mmCIF file of all heavy atoms in Angstrom:
data_model
loop_
_atom_site.group_PDB
_atom_site.id
_atom_site.type_symbol
_atom_site.label_atom_id
_atom_site.label_comp_id
_atom_site.label_asym_id
_atom_site.label_seq_id
_atom_site.Cartn_x
_atom_site.Cartn_y
_atom_site.Cartn_z
ATOM 1 N N VAL M 1433 -95.279 -106.028 -237.733
ATOM 2 C CA VAL M 1433 -95.808 -105.554 -238.948
ATOM 3 C C VAL M 1433 -94.748 -105.607 -240.092
ATOM 4 O O VAL M 1433 -93.613 -105.282 -239.841
ATOM 5 C CB VAL M 1433 -96.281 -103.992 -238.804
ATOM 6 C CG1 VAL M 1433 -96.731 -103.418 -240.145
ATOM 7 C CG2 VAL M 1433 -97.365 -103.899 -237.721
ATOM 8 N N ALA M 1434 -95.184 -106.073 -241.229
ATOM 9 C CA ALA M 1434 -94.361 -106.110 -242.419
ATOM 10 C C ALA M 1434 -94.884 -105.095 -243.398
ATOM 11 O O ALA M 1434 -96.177 -104.882 -243.529
ATOM 12 C CB ALA M 1434 -94.262 -107.439 -243.088
ATOM 13 N N ALA M 1435 -94.005 -104.281 -244.037
ATOM 14 C CA ALA M 1435 -94.442 -103.362 -245.110
ATOM 15 C C ALA M 1435 -94.246 -104.028 -246.455
ATOM 16 O O ALA M 1435 -93.226 -104.700 -246.667
ATOM 17 C CB ALA M 1435 -93.540 -102.045 -245.037
ATOM 18 N N VAL M 1436 -95.205 -103.826 -247.271
ATOM 19 C CA VAL M 1436 -95.157 -104.384 -248.667
ATOM 20 C C VAL M 1436 -95.218 -103.226 -249.703
ATOM 21 O O VAL M 1436 -96.093 -102.387 -249.626
ATOM 22 C CB VAL M 1436 -96.317 -105.335 -248.979
ATOM 23 C CG1 VAL M 1436 -96.524 -105.619 -250.431
ATOM 24 C CG2 VAL M 1436 -96.020 -106.623 -248.178
ATOM 25 N N PHE M 1437 -94.203 -103.205 -250.592
ATOM 26 C CA PHE M 1437 -94.161 -102.211 -251.703
ATOM 27 C C PHE M 1437 -94.349 -102.886 -253.003
ATOM 28 O O PHE M 1437 -93.709 -103.926 -253.193
ATOM 29 C CB PHE M 1437 -92.838 -101.455 -251.693
ATOM 30 C CG PHE M 1437 -92.580 -100.490 -250.552
ATOM 31 C CD1 PHE M 1437 -91.992 -100.974 -249.351
ATOM 32 C CD2 PHE M 1437 -92.994 -99.111 -250.640
ATOM 33 C CE1 PHE M 1437 -91.765 -100.125 -248.304
ATOM 34 C CE2 PHE M 1437 -92.691 -98.301 -249.541
ATOM 35 C CZ PHE M 1437 -92.132 -98.765 -248.366
ATOM 36 N N THR M 1438 -95.138 -102.321 -253.866
ATOM 37 C CA THR M 1438 -95.138 -102.748 -255.183
ATOM 38 C C THR M 1438 -94.448 -101.703 -256.125
ATOM 39 O O THR M 1438 -94.673 -100.502 -255.916
ATOM 40 C CB THR M 1438 -96.590 -102.972 -255.798
ATOM 41 O OG1 THR M 1438 -97.333 -101.799 -255.509
ATOM 42 C CG2 THR M 1438 -97.226 -104.153 -255.094
ATOM 43 N N ALA M 1439 -93.481 -102.162 -256.927
ATOM 44 C CA ALA M 1439 -92.714 -101.203 -257.680
ATOM 45 C C ALA M 1439 -92.862 -101.402 -259.123
ATOM 46 O O ALA M 1439 -93.158 -102.491 -259.625
ATOM 47 C CB ALA M 1439 -91.169 -101.389 -257.316
ATOM 48 N N TYR M 1440 -92.745 -100.296 -259.908
ATOM 49 C CA TYR M 1440 -92.833 -100.332 -261.399
ATOM 50 C C TYR M 1440 -91.996 -99.173 -261.921
ATOM 51 O O TYR M 1440 -92.313 -98.048 -261.651
ATOM 52 C CB TYR M 1440 -94.293 -100.197 -261.849
ATOM 53 C CG TYR M 1440 -94.497 -100.245 -263.365
ATOM 54 C CD1 TYR M 1440 -94.315 -101.405 -264.000
ATOM 55 C CD2 TYR M 1440 -94.750 -99.097 -264.036
ATOM 56 C CE1 TYR M 1440 -94.532 -101.482 -265.386
ATOM 57 C CE2 TYR M 1440 -94.986 -99.094 -265.462
ATOM 58 C CZ TYR M 1440 -94.822 -100.296 -266.090
ATOM 59 O OH TYR M 1440 -94.944 -100.419 -267.456
ATOM 60 N N HIS M 1441 -90.894 -99.548 -262.581
ATOM 61 C CA HIS M 1441 -89.884 -98.540 -262.972
ATOM 62 C C HIS M 1441 -89.597 -97.535 -261.834
ATOM 63 O O HIS M 1441 -89.748 -96.367 -261.945
ATOM 64 C CB HIS M 1441 -90.397 -97.705 -264.196
ATOM 65 C CG HIS M 1441 -90.541 -98.547 -265.455
ATOM 66 N ND1 HIS M 1441 -89.484 -98.976 -266.194
ATOM 67 C CD2 HIS M 1441 -91.604 -99.079 -266.032
ATOM 68 C CE1 HIS M 1441 -89.885 -99.626 -267.207
ATOM 69 N NE2 HIS M 1441 -91.224 -99.786 -267.109
ATOM 70 N N PRO M 1442 -89.161 -98.093 -260.659
ATOM 71 C CA PRO M 1442 -88.942 -97.276 -259.541
ATOM 72 C C PRO M 1442 -87.753 -96.304 -259.686
ATOM 73 O O PRO M 1442 -86.839 -96.617 -260.439
ATOM 74 C CB PRO M 1442 -88.683 -98.281 -258.381
ATOM 75 C CG PRO M 1442 -88.124 -99.484 -259.120
ATOM 76 C CD PRO M 1442 -88.833 -99.553 -260.443
ATOM 77 N N ASP M 1443 -87.792 -95.191 -258.984
ATOM 78 C CA ASP M 1443 -86.667 -94.298 -258.947
ATOM 79 C C ASP M 1443 -86.108 -94.272 -257.490
ATOM 80 O O ASP M 1443 -86.354 -95.092 -256.731
ATOM 81 C CB ASP M 1443 -87.141 -92.935 -259.405
ATOM 82 C CG ASP M 1443 -88.304 -92.376 -258.626
ATOM 83 O OD1 ASP M 1443 -88.462 -92.676 -257.430
ATOM 84 O OD2 ASP M 1443 -89.094 -91.545 -259.206
ATOM 85 N N GLU M 1444 -85.334 -93.206 -257.228
ATOM 86 C CA GLU M 1444 -84.637 -93.153 -255.989
ATOM 87 C C GLU M 1444 -85.554 -93.023 -254.735
ATOM 88 O O GLU M 1444 -85.168 -93.261 -253.587
ATOM 89 C CB GLU M 1444 -83.658 -91.999 -255.948
ATOM 90 C CG GLU M 1444 -84.245 -90.615 -256.001
ATOM 91 C CD GLU M 1444 -84.656 -90.206 -257.363
ATOM 92 O OE1 GLU M 1444 -84.456 -90.932 -258.296
ATOM 93 O OE2 GLU M 1444 -85.296 -89.142 -257.500
ATOM 94 N N ARG M 1445 -86.822 -92.699 -255.022
ATOM 95 C CA ARG M 1445 -87.820 -92.574 -253.952
ATOM 96 C C ARG M 1445 -88.098 -93.892 -253.230
ATOM 97 O O ARG M 1445 -88.516 -93.939 -252.120
ATOM 98 C CB ARG M 1445 -89.094 -91.952 -254.389
ATOM 99 C CG ARG M 1445 -88.991 -90.515 -254.816
ATOM 100 C CD ARG M 1445 -90.261 -89.893 -255.416
ATOM 101 N NE ARG M 1445 -90.600 -90.574 -256.627
ATOM 102 C CZ ARG M 1445 -91.736 -90.386 -257.291
ATOM 103 N NH1 ARG M 1445 -92.626 -89.448 -256.842
ATOM 104 N NH2 ARG M 1445 -91.977 -91.037 -258.439
ATOM 105 N N LEU M 1446 -87.951 -95.021 -254.006
ATOM 106 C CA LEU M 1446 -88.290 -96.276 -253.368
ATOM 107 C C LEU M 1446 -87.306 -96.603 -252.213
ATOM 108 O O LEU M 1446 -87.699 -97.093 -251.185
ATOM 109 C CB LEU M 1446 -88.142 -97.393 -254.424
ATOM 110 C CG LEU M 1446 -88.305 -98.896 -253.961
ATOM 111 C CD1 LEU M 1446 -89.622 -99.052 -253.274
ATOM 112 C CD2 LEU M 1446 -88.116 -99.825 -255.070
ATOM 113 N N ALA M 1447 -86.031 -96.326 -252.411
ATOM 114 C CA ALA M 1447 -85.033 -96.623 -251.362
ATOM 115 C C ALA M 1447 -85.333 -95.740 -250.091
ATOM 116 O O ALA M 1447 -85.251 -96.305 -249.017
ATOM 117 C CB ALA M 1447 -83.676 -96.336 -251.854
ATOM 118 N N ALA M 1448 -85.694 -94.479 -250.314
ATOM 119 C CA ALA M 1448 -86.073 -93.679 -249.200
ATOM 120 C C ALA M 1448 -87.298 -94.171 -248.480
ATOM 121 O O ALA M 1448 -87.489 -94.152 -247.271
ATOM 122 C CB ALA M 1448 -86.317 -92.261 -249.696
ATOM 123 N N ALA M 1449 -88.294 -94.613 -249.188
ATOM 124 C CA ALA M 1449 -89.527 -95.180 -248.687
ATOM 125 C C ALA M 1449 -89.283 -96.461 -247.925
ATOM 126 O O ALA M 1449 -89.884 -96.658 -246.790
ATOM 127 C CB ALA M 1449 -90.523 -95.431 -249.783
ATOM 128 N N VAL M 1450 -88.330 -97.299 -248.354
ATOM 129 C CA VAL M 1450 -88.073 -98.485 -247.671
ATOM 130 C C VAL M 1450 -87.344 -98.205 -246.382
ATOM 131 O O VAL M 1450 -87.579 -98.762 -245.292
ATOM 132 C CB VAL M 1450 -87.237 -99.431 -248.605
ATOM 133 C CG1 VAL M 1450 -86.645 -100.599 -247.708
ATOM 134 C CG2 VAL M 1450 -88.097 -100.043 -249.705
ATOM 135 N N GLU M 1451 -86.416 -97.238 -246.404
ATOM 136 C CA GLU M 1451 -85.660 -96.851 -245.220
ATOM 137 C C GLU M 1451 -86.645 -96.329 -244.170
ATOM 138 O O GLU M 1451 -86.508 -96.668 -242.909
ATOM 139 C CB GLU M 1451 -84.587 -95.759 -245.581
ATOM 140 C CG GLU M 1451 -83.433 -96.297 -246.252
ATOM 141 C CD GLU M 1451 -82.468 -95.213 -246.625
ATOM 142 O OE1 GLU M 1451 -82.790 -94.019 -246.442
ATOM 143 O OE2 GLU M 1451 -81.303 -95.514 -247.017
ATOM 144 N N ALA M 1452 -87.577 -95.468 -244.603
ATOM 145 C CA ALA M 1452 -88.565 -94.911 -243.622
ATOM 146 C C ALA M 1452 -89.450 -96.094 -243.028
ATOM 147 O O ALA M 1452 -89.717 -96.090 -241.859
ATOM 148 C CB ALA M 1452 -89.448 -93.881 -244.357
ATOM 149 N N ALA M 1453 -89.810 -97.060 -243.854
ATOM 150 C CA ALA M 1453 -90.672 -98.122 -243.377
ATOM 151 C C ALA M 1453 -89.911 -99.028 -242.352
ATOM 152 O O ALA M 1453 -90.589 -99.489 -241.467
ATOM 153 C CB ALA M 1453 -91.129 -98.992 -244.595
ATOM 154 N N LEU M 1454 -88.644 -99.248 -242.547
ATOM 155 C CA LEU M 1454 -87.885 -100.057 -241.653
ATOM 156 C C LEU M 1454 -87.799 -99.456 -240.199
ATOM 157 O O LEU M 1454 -87.437 -100.193 -239.286
ATOM 158 C CB LEU M 1454 -86.488 -100.333 -242.207
ATOM 159 C CG LEU M 1454 -86.492 -101.319 -243.352
ATOM 160 C CD1 LEU M 1454 -85.025 -101.327 -243.944
ATOM 161 C CD2 LEU M 1454 -86.932 -102.746 -242.869
ATOM 162 N N ARG M 1455 -87.965 -98.166 -240.113
ATOM 163 C CA ARG M 1455 -88.029 -97.532 -238.788
ATOM 164 C C ARG M 1455 -89.198 -97.891 -237.949
ATOM 165 O O ARG M 1455 -89.215 -97.838 -236.712
ATOM 166 C CB ARG M 1455 -87.907 -95.979 -238.881
ATOM 167 C CG ARG M 1455 -86.625 -95.464 -239.604
ATOM 168 C CD ARG M 1455 -86.556 -93.992 -239.650
ATOM 169 N NE ARG M 1455 -85.608 -93.568 -240.572
ATOM 170 C CZ ARG M 1455 -85.864 -92.935 -241.761
ATOM 171 N NH1 ARG M 1455 -87.131 -92.666 -242.063
ATOM 172 N NH2 ARG M 1455 -84.946 -92.534 -242.493
ATOM 173 N N SER M 1456 -90.262 -98.419 -238.653
ATOM 174 C CA SER M 1456 -91.526 -98.727 -237.971
ATOM 175 C C SER M 1456 -91.883 -100.158 -238.105
ATOM 176 O O SER M 1456 -92.783 -100.706 -237.333
ATOM 177 C CB SER M 1456 -92.685 -97.862 -238.448
ATOM 178 O OG SER M 1456 -92.423 -96.497 -238.290
ATOM 179 N N CYS M 1457 -91.317 -100.894 -239.054
ATOM 180 C CA CYS M 1457 -91.795 -102.229 -239.397
ATOM 181 C C CYS M 1457 -90.701 -103.249 -239.231
ATOM 182 O O CYS M 1457 -89.497 -102.946 -239.333
ATOM 183 C CB CYS M 1457 -92.283 -102.270 -240.889
ATOM 184 S SG CYS M 1457 -93.691 -101.172 -241.215
ATOM 185 N N ALA M 1458 -91.087 -104.458 -238.956
ATOM 186 C CA ALA M 1458 -90.096 -105.564 -238.686
ATOM 187 C C ALA M 1458 -89.367 -105.986 -239.970
ATOM 188 O O ALA M 1458 -88.235 -106.443 -239.905
ATOM 189 C CB ALA M 1458 -90.782 -106.733 -238.006
ATOM 190 N N SER M 1459 -90.092 -105.935 -241.061
ATOM 191 C CA SER M 1459 -89.488 -106.356 -242.320
ATOM 192 C C SER M 1459 -90.226 -105.651 -243.450
ATOM 193 O O SER M 1459 -91.264 -105.056 -243.316
ATOM 194 C CB SER M 1459 -89.592 -107.897 -242.492
ATOM 195 O OG SER M 1459 -90.938 -108.279 -242.430
ATOM 196 N N VAL M 1460 -89.579 -105.774 -244.653
ATOM 197 C CA VAL M 1460 -90.212 -105.109 -245.870
ATOM 198 C C VAL M 1460 -90.058 -106.136 -247.017
ATOM 199 O O VAL M 1460 -89.037 -106.826 -247.182
ATOM 200 C CB VAL M 1460 -89.392 -103.865 -246.260
ATOM 201 C CG1 VAL M 1460 -89.776 -103.364 -247.644
ATOM 202 C CG2 VAL M 1460 -89.573 -102.741 -245.272
ATOM 203 N N ILE M 1461 -91.118 -106.174 -247.767
ATOM 204 C CA ILE M 1461 -91.096 -106.996 -249.034
ATOM 205 C C ILE M 1461 -91.373 -106.023 -250.210
ATOM 206 O O ILE M 1461 -92.323 -105.223 -250.117
ATOM 207 C CB ILE M 1461 -92.169 -108.079 -249.042
ATOM 208 C CG1 ILE M 1461 -91.872 -109.042 -247.930
ATOM 209 C CG2 ILE M 1461 -92.194 -108.807 -250.354
ATOM 210 C CD1 ILE M 1461 -92.993 -110.103 -247.718
ATOM 211 N N VAL M 1462 -90.518 -106.073 -251.244
ATOM 212 C CA VAL M 1462 -90.657 -105.294 -252.428
ATOM 213 C C VAL M 1462 -90.912 -106.162 -253.648
ATOM 214 O O VAL M 1462 -90.122 -107.074 -253.926
ATOM 215 C CB VAL M 1462 -89.418 -104.382 -252.767
ATOM 216 C CG1 VAL M 1462 -89.708 -103.634 -254.048
ATOM 217 C CG2 VAL M 1462 -89.164 -103.525 -251.521
ATOM 218 N N VAL M 1463 -92.064 -106.052 -254.274
ATOM 219 C CA VAL M 1463 -92.334 -106.835 -255.516
ATOM 220 C C VAL M 1463 -92.141 -105.872 -256.698
ATOM 221 O O VAL M 1463 -93.014 -104.915 -256.793
ATOM 222 C CB VAL M 1463 -93.731 -107.465 -255.462
ATOM 223 C CG1 VAL M 1463 -94.012 -108.254 -256.809
ATOM 224 C CG2 VAL M 1463 -93.909 -108.385 -254.284
ATOM 225 N N ASP M 1464 -91.249 -106.150 -257.514
ATOM 226 C CA ASP M 1464 -90.897 -105.279 -258.682
ATOM 227 C C ASP M 1464 -91.533 -105.787 -259.940
ATOM 228 O O ASP M 1464 -91.283 -106.885 -260.424
ATOM 229 C CB ASP M 1464 -89.397 -105.159 -258.835
ATOM 230 C CG ASP M 1464 -89.088 -104.168 -259.997
ATOM 231 O OD1 ASP M 1464 -89.963 -103.370 -260.336
ATOM 232 O OD2 ASP M 1464 -87.950 -104.143 -260.478
ATOM 233 N N ASN M 1465 -92.612 -104.998 -260.422
ATOM 234 C CA ASN M 1465 -93.313 -105.387 -261.633
ATOM 235 C C ASN M 1465 -92.629 -104.846 -262.910
ATOM 236 O O ASN M 1465 -93.339 -104.901 -263.962
ATOM 237 C CB ASN M 1465 -94.747 -104.917 -261.528
ATOM 238 C CG ASN M 1465 -95.688 -105.931 -261.061
ATOM 239 O OD1 ASN M 1465 -95.299 -107.066 -260.811
ATOM 240 N ND2 ASN M 1465 -96.990 -105.526 -260.906
ATOM 241 N N THR M 1466 -91.398 -104.345 -262.835
ATOM 242 C CA THR M 1466 -90.769 -103.815 -263.941
ATOM 243 C C THR M 1466 -90.492 -104.971 -264.941
ATOM 244 O O THR M 1466 -89.751 -105.861 -264.549
ATOM 245 C CB THR M 1466 -89.493 -103.039 -263.673
ATOM 246 O OG1 THR M 1466 -89.887 -101.970 -262.702
ATOM 247 C CG2 THR M 1466 -88.935 -102.392 -264.882
ATOM 248 N N PRO M 1467 -90.825 -104.943 -266.203
ATOM 249 C CA PRO M 1467 -90.449 -106.113 -267.090
ATOM 250 C C PRO M 1467 -89.048 -106.178 -267.340
ATOM 251 O O PRO M 1467 -88.229 -105.176 -267.306
ATOM 252 C CB PRO M 1467 -91.233 -105.677 -268.441
ATOM 253 C CG PRO M 1467 -92.281 -104.682 -268.010
ATOM 254 C CD PRO M 1467 -91.674 -104.009 -266.853
ATOM 255 N N ALA M 1468 -88.571 -107.412 -267.517
ATOM 256 C CA ALA M 1468 -87.146 -107.715 -267.805
ATOM 257 C C ALA M 1468 -86.753 -106.977 -269.123
ATOM 258 O O ALA M 1468 -87.468 -106.873 -270.053
ATOM 259 C CB ALA M 1468 -86.886 -109.184 -267.869
ATOM 260 N N GLY M 1469 -85.495 -106.436 -269.060
ATOM 261 C CA GLY M 1469 -84.948 -105.684 -270.234
ATOM 262 C C GLY M 1469 -85.499 -104.286 -270.394
ATOM 263 O O GLY M 1469 -85.140 -103.612 -271.385
ATOM 264 N N ALA M 1470 -86.254 -103.763 -269.360
ATOM 265 C CA ALA M 1470 -86.678 -102.401 -269.454
ATOM 266 C C ALA M 1470 -85.511 -101.415 -269.379
ATOM 267 O O ALA M 1470 -84.567 -101.750 -268.691
ATOM 268 C CB ALA M 1470 -87.651 -102.108 -268.263
#
Side-chain angles (χ1 to χ4, degrees):
V1433 175
V1436 165
F1437 290 88
T1438 52
Y1440 181 71
H1441 294 284
D1443 56 27
E1444 66 282 353
R1445 292 176 296 177
L1446 174 61
V1450 169
E1451 288 180 349
L1454 285 172
R1455 300 185 194 111
S1456 303
C1457 300
S1459 59
V1460 169
I1461 297 174
V1462 178
V1463 180
D1464 185 15
N1465 262 358
T1466 305

